[in-house]
Amino acid sequence: MKQTKHQIMLSGGNRFVYWLSHYIVDVFTHFIPAAVTIFSINYFDQKVPQAEYLFALFSFVNPLFLYTVSFFFENDAKASIFIRILYFAIGGIAPIAMQILNIINRQTIEWGLYFKPYFYHFPIYNLAIGYIGIQNRGLIEKVHHREGELTNWDWLIAGESVWRMLCELVFFYFAVIFFEYRIYDKYLRLAHSYGKMAIGKLYQTISRKKSRVLYKMKTDFEFVDTED
């Protein structure tokens, strides 16, 4: 998923070109299963209109998410296993669980509302919940008494999922830059320098106060001794 700066330099490549080339390839790689899914939806006459836009957006966002996650692992094998488990939980179980929580009782609805914002940080969840929203648009319109008023991109249908994926597109783009160019090293060094300065100033302040206390104690002692 990623290549170290040392490996890139040895290969004579540029980091920007490296990431851009991989990103283009990965986007088109995502387009293949997306195209197969859209073909299957149309072939089996499933009523999920305009779902292809949702899958297209996911194809641009998900590679950046995977790159960001890969920086937290030593090798691709560990990252791959983690992603598979994560996507099974967040992309498969979580959307279904959220739908169930929303229909049992008031307490489960509150639990669903509590966990919902956390799941929206993952592109795969946005894809799944947006797809479900488009598929159930008629039911959602009836529940909210807005029959025929909503489109697929309204907030109640797939609008929130689309908006969050657009935000994630920007966020994970900068996250890759942040980790690849080790920008955090600069801030860590600055924090370390400021920490040392702060500790030094604190030590000086304590030393000065200590000197003042000792001087005052010595003066008071000499004053008492003179009176005696």
Side-chain angles (χ1 to χ4, degrees), residues 161-176:
S161 297
V162 170
W163 169 250
R164 289 184 179 273
M165 279 200 284
L166 288 172
C167 293
E168 289 164 355
L169 183 66
V170 177
F171 175 81
F172 290 122
Y173 169 80
F174 284 104
V176 172

Side-chain angles (χ1 to χ4, degrees), residues 111-190:
W111 275 104
L113 292 173
Y114 175 79
F115 285 109
K116 181 180 177 181
Y118 298 101
F119 292 141
Y120 269 121
H121 295 308
F122 301 93
I124 188 66
Y125 178 80
N126 290 314
L127 173 66
I129 208 69
Y131 180 89
I132 293 173
I134 295 175
Q135 191 176 39
N136 297 325
R137 191 180 79 183
L139 177 61
I140 295 173
E141 288 178 334
K142 289 181 180 179
V143 171
H144 292 273
H145 306 289
R146 300 181 62 180
E147 288 86 350
E149 297 181 12
L150 301 178
T151 67
N152 289 337
W153 313 121
D154 277 296
W155 195 261
L156 292 172
I157 310 301
E160 185 173 6
S161 297
V162 170
W163 169 250
R164 289 184 179 273
M165 279 200 284
L166 288 172
C167 293
E168 289 164 355
L169 183 66
V170 177
F171 175 81
F172 290 122
Y173 169 80
F174 284 104
V176 172
I177 295 175
F178 181 80
F179 286 113
E180 175 60 26
Y181 288 90
R182 302 180 68 86
I183 297 175
Y184 55 88
D185 280 351
K186 175 182 177 182
Y187 292 102
L188 286 175
R189 286 195 296 269
L190 286 174

Side-chain angles (χ1 to χ4, degrees), residues 2-135:
K2 64 178 180 178
Q3 193 176 36
T4 64
K5 178 181 177 182
H6 181 64
Q7 291 172 323
I8 295 171
M9 292 178 65
L10 286 177
S11 64
N14 179 276
R15 278 185 285 181
F16 175 77
V17 175
Y18 168 81
W19 283 110
L20 181 62
S21 61
H22 274 266
Y23 180 65
I24 293 173
V25 171
D26 288 336
V27 168
F28 279 100
T29 303
H30 277 68
F31 278 157
I32 297 173
V36 172
T37 303
I38 296 301
F39 173 79
S40 302
I41 291 172
N42 295 327
Y43 181 80
F44 291 104
D45 196 26
Q46 298 295 308
K47 295 181 180 180
V48 194
Q50 299 178 313
E52 60 271 15
Y53 298 111
L54 203 61
F55 282 95
L57 180 57
F58 175 78
S59 299
F60 284 99
V61 179
N62 196 56
L64 295 175
F65 170 76
L66 296 178
Y67 299 157
T68 303
V69 173
S70 70
F71 282 102
F72 294 93
F73 293 88
E74 296 178 356
N75 56 65
D76 293 348
K78 293 180 179 179
S80 179
I81 293 173
F82 175 79
I83 289 296
R84 292 173 189 274
I85 297 173
L86 179 69
Y87 273 31
F88 176 74
I90 302 298
I93 298 176
I96 298 174
M98 291 297 294
Q99 298 300 310
I100 296 174
L101 290 174
N102 286 332
I103 61 174
I104 297 178
N105 54 48
R106 187 178 184 84
Q107 185 177 6
T108 58
I109 292 175
E110 291 177 354
W111 275 104
L113 292 173
Y114 175 79
F115 285 109
K116 181 180 177 181
Y118 298 101
F119 292 141
Y120 269 121
H121 295 308
F122 301 93
I124 188 66
Y125 178 80
N126 290 314
L127 173 66
I129 208 69
Y131 180 89
I132 293 173
I134 295 175
Q135 191 176 39

